[in-house]
Every structure is written in C-alpha cells, then in structure tokens.
Amino acid sequence: MQRLDAFARHSDEPGRITRLYLSPAHKSAARELCGWMREAGMRTSIDALGTVTGRYESSPAGAPALLIGSHIDSVRDAGRFDGTLGVLAGLTAVEELARAGEKFPFAIEVVAFGDEEGVRFPDTFAGSRALAGIFDAAALAGEDANGISLREALITFGCDPTRIADIPRKRNDVLAYVEAHIEQGPVLESENLPLGIVTAINALKRLSVTVEGEAGHAGTVPMGMRRDALAAAAEMVLAVEKIAAAAGDVVATVGQIETVPGAVNVIAGMTRFTIDVRATGDAARDATVERIEQAIRAIAERRRVTVDLKVNNRTPAAACSPLVIRGLSEAIARQGIAVRMLPSGAGHDAMIVAALCPVGMLFVRCRGGISHNPAESISIEDADMCVRVLLDYIRHFDMSACRA
C-alpha cells in the first residue's frame, strides 16, 4: 500500500494522477518499478513497446514462466489502484518468495504493460498485443492529440520500434497469465467479499465519428437552414444511449466530444466523438454497433450533414481458463473465503494475452465500485488477502496442467 502511494507521484499533471502511455510519468514509473524489481532479486527489462518485465528465475534456470501482471498507465485524473495494484501485488508476492528462499521448477515474471487504457493513441493494448504476437504494425502511425505518432513517442521514450518483432513470446515459454485488478464494480462490496474470480471478459468495440456540417454566424442563419454538426451529433449521442439500453446485456458510452470551431457565436461546422460498445459476446456487440451505425447515418441524412465512422479497436470476448479459475478458486478457499465468480465488463490485458496462453483474473473489492476516479479505494486488509491468494496460487501452481 505504501508503494501504491509512492507510485501515485508519477503523474503528468500536478495535483492528480495522469500517467499516459509513453509520457514522462510513464517513463519515471517504469524506472522506479525496475528498481524495486531488482531489489527483489529479479532480472528486469523494458521492451520495444515500453512493457516492464521482472523475472524471478526458476530452479533450474531457463524454465517456462508463470506471468503475473497488469498495467501502469492511467486515465486522466485517475485513482491509484486501477492496474497498478496487480503489478505491485505480483511484485510483493515475489518479494515474499525471495525472502523465504522459495524457488520453483517454473519462473515467475511480473509484467507491467503501458497501454491498457487507450487514452493517448487510437489503438490500445499495444504491449499485450505484442506479447501475444498479434500487434499490428499499422498502429505505429496512429497519432495522439498533439500529432505525435506512436512510433515517434516510442523513440522519445527510449524504445526501438524496429525491435517490436522480438517481443512475442513462444507458447512453450509461457505457462499462464494471472492478473489481479480492482473490481471496478459494486458486486463484491455488496456481498461483503474481499475477492472474486473473473469468468470472462466482455467484447469491446471502439469507434470514432466525424460529423461535418457548415459553420455559420449564430445570429444570422435561420434555424431551418442550418447544417449544425453539433446538433446532429447530439441527436446521435442520444441514439447511441437508446439503442444500447434496448439491447439487453450491452453498454455503450460516448466519452469524448469535440466541436470545431468551438466558438460561442459560431454554428459548429464539425464535431468529433467516440463510441465505446461492450457486450458479453461478440455477436451482441456487433449487432448493437450495426444498429448504432444505421441510426447515425439516418440522422446525418435527415440533417443534411456528412458522417464518417471509423472502428479504432475491436477486441473479442475472452473466456478465462478453467485451469486458472480452478487454481485461484482453491487458493481463495484455503483462505477461508467464499468463492465468487463474476464476469468483467471492463477490458483488461488478460483478454489479449488469452491469445497466447491460459489466463485468469482475481478481482479485489473496491469501495462503492468506483474506478477511473481519484476516489478509488481499497482496504489494506483486502490488499493483503490479494497477495496471500497470489502466493498460495503460486505455491500450488500445476505446471504440468498448463503445459498439456
């Protein structure tokens, strides 16, 4: 918990936690994390996409690894637990094993990805996609709000984009991936449980929408003659909400909106906004997105504006491994805690790593279910239990089952 407090100092904005991918705060956080890992007896590295890895060697050396990790980037004005908890809990578990002199026939690698939140660049999950061997090199051309490409940002960070091809792991070298994370929801708190086990991670699709109308004077263009891009976008946003609400087990969010020229006395000539759609399955997600696209195009035609829709991210639903679920369930039960299974509505690096190896997630109760907010909070007792369960899982880890 002290480390989580200390890590919160790495921020791109004074007075709040904002640690964007490949920013100066991300770089300083990665360096401090490497230092803590080395103090714990781990061999550290930062790969060509900024992912930090600390390896606690096997006995004998060179064996496949159990991966434990999460991400260390954040949203703007974030809390201090989202992502970072999973990385530092893994580090704490390794420290305890090193203190006790415990070694295993498998290595343990603590992995800290840097691009889970997808705040800075159009694409996201760069680090975990590369690890799993599914990184699309076209993402390197994606630009942030300041026109800086991912390729340029990597070079500034100190990475060599030409080495990205060296990142993917071979299946035989990785046994499983376990990610501890705050729940980001109210279920565990409502049932007075410190921990839960994730069964599956919902499907995700993110779109960007550009609406173009015609700018004009706010006082001289009659209402019936306007081609107002912002008014059209406002109707589209409400259509997104209505369609998702009627779809059942689907959620859709418009999280960013920008208008041009953005003056108080000018009709908006262009508006851009984002759409984030999530569902328990790929089919439900895609059907909802299709209905949203149809509604947006109909609104654009009726209001005499043009619209361009672009899919920036498409991530399939990912089921957690029954092997990892069973191992985590047994570890929780040995602590005398009821085992609670629940799905994850939020996306995580685990859903990407699932393309490489068996994955599982451990949820930690958070106060009020609040996340992506400075009010994020967990108790020291729940943090302690999270580390105890990770230790128990490691000590009882069935290496042969994951290699089968």
Side-chain angles (χ1 to χ4, degrees):
M1 294 294 274
Q2 290 173 344
R3 280 217 180 106
L4 284 161
D5 289 341
F7 216 69
R9 297 195 306 268
H10 299 287
S11 177
D12 298 310
E13 296 182 284
R16 60 184 193 168
I17 302 172
T18 300
R19 190 163 52 247
L20 304 188
Y21 180 41
L22 301 177
S23 67
H26 179 202
K27 188 169 186 176
S28 63
R31 286 176 171 172
E32 181 159 48
L33 178 59
C34 282
W36 289 340
M37 287 175 164
R38 286 191 291 268
E39 290 172 3
M42 308 176 82
R43 186 175 74 249
T44 65
S45 63
I46 300 178
D47 71 20
L49 281 166
T51 299
V52 179
T53 302
R55 181 178 173 96
Y56 183 66
E57 194 54 80
S58 57
S59 179
L66 167 64
L67 308 184
I68 299 174
S70 192
H71 62 97
I72 58 172
D73 64 319
S74 80
V75 297
R76 293 182 174 88
D77 197 19
R80 64 189 60 201
F81 302 103
D82 183 349
T84 308
L85 169 66
V87 175
L88 297 184
L91 172 60
T92 304
V94 169
E95 282 183 318
E96 174 60 18
L97 295 171
R99 185 198 64 78
E102 295 181 65
K103 289 281 189 178
F104 304 93
F106 54 89
I108 301 168
E109 294 187 9
V110 177
V111 183
F113 299 111
D115 184 35
E116 194 268 358
E117 296 294 2
V119 175
R120 184 174 180 186
F121 297 100
D123 291 288
T124 189
F125 296 118
S128 49
R129 287 185 189 280
L131 185 85
I134 55 174
F135 177 76
D136 184 353
L140 293 170
E143 297 181 348
D144 66 9
N146 296 315
I148 300 171
S149 71
L150 174 56
R151 185 187 303 276
E152 292 167 335
L154 285 167
I155 293 169
T156 300
F157 191 84
C159 296
D160 181 359
T162 66
R163 303 297 300 273
I164 292 174
D166 299 335
I167 297 175
R169 299 296 186 90
K170 296 177 181 177
R171 176 64 187 92
N172 291 340
D173 293 334
V174 178
L175 298 169
Y177 172 83
V178 176
E179 181 169 353
H181 203 283
I182 58 172
E183 181 195 352
Q184 300 178 282
V187 174
L188 294 175
E189 185 180 56
S190 70
E191 298 182 11
N192 195 29
L193 292 171
L195 304 174
I197 297 174
V198 176
T199 54
I201 303 169
N202 286 1
L204 163 70
K205 186 176 281 190
R206 286 178 178 160
L207 303 91
S208 58
V209 183
T210 302
V211 183
E212 292 197 47
E214 184 174 61
H217 195 291
T220 62
V221 182
M223 297 301 292
M225 298 178 67
R226 296 186 178 199
R227 297 174 56 229
D228 188 330
L230 180 56
E235 186 175 348
M236 293 170 185
V237 171
L238 290 176
V240 169
E241 180 184 53
K242 182 178 180 180
I243 291 167
D249 201 8
V250 178
V251 292
T253 304
V254 174
Q256 295 178 326
I257 190 163
E258 172 194 12
T259 186
V260 177
V264 66
N265 61 343
V266 180
I267 299 163
M270 180 171 67
T271 300
R272 302 185 187 94
F273 63 94
T274 60
I275 307 174
D276 179 304
V277 180
R278 304 178 192 230
T280 53
D282 298 356
R285 175 203 61 188
D286 292 343
T288 302
V289 169
E290 184 177 355
R291 287 192 290 272
I292 287 172
E293 290 182 349
Q294 290 172 350
I296 285 174
R297 295 190 190 282
I299 292 167
E301 183 176 359
R302 177 164 44 80
R303 285 182 169 270
R304 297 179 296 111
V305 297
T306 62
V307 64
D308 178 65
L309 295 97
K310 180 182 177 182
V311 176
N312 294 323
N313 185 276
R314 181 189 291 105
T315 307
C320 290
S321 162
L323 285 172
V324 181
I325 289 174
R326 185 176 69 226
L328 290 173
S329 299
E330 292 170 352
I332 288 178
R334 281 190 287 266
Q335 308 305 312
I337 301 170
V339 177
R340 177 64 158 90
M341 305 284 186
L342 67 168
S344 173
H348 301 282
D349 288 295
M351 67 195 301
I352 305 300
V353 182
L356 172 68
C357 65
V359 304
M361 289 196 68
L362 186 67
F363 268 173
V364 180
R365 169 173 52 188
C366 56
R367 187 176 64 192
I370 295 172
S371 178
H372 285 186
N373 187 307
E376 272 180 8
S377 179
I378 66 171
S379 71
I380 191 169
E381 292 81 9
D382 289 356
D384 175 70
M385 188 57 67
C386 172
V387 174
R388 290 179 185 274
V389 168
L390 285 176
L391 280 166
D392 188 285
Y393 178 79
I394 293 167
R395 287 167 172 153
H396 291 87
F397 181 65
D398 187 351
M399 177 178 174
S400 60
C402 285
R403 298 191 73 175

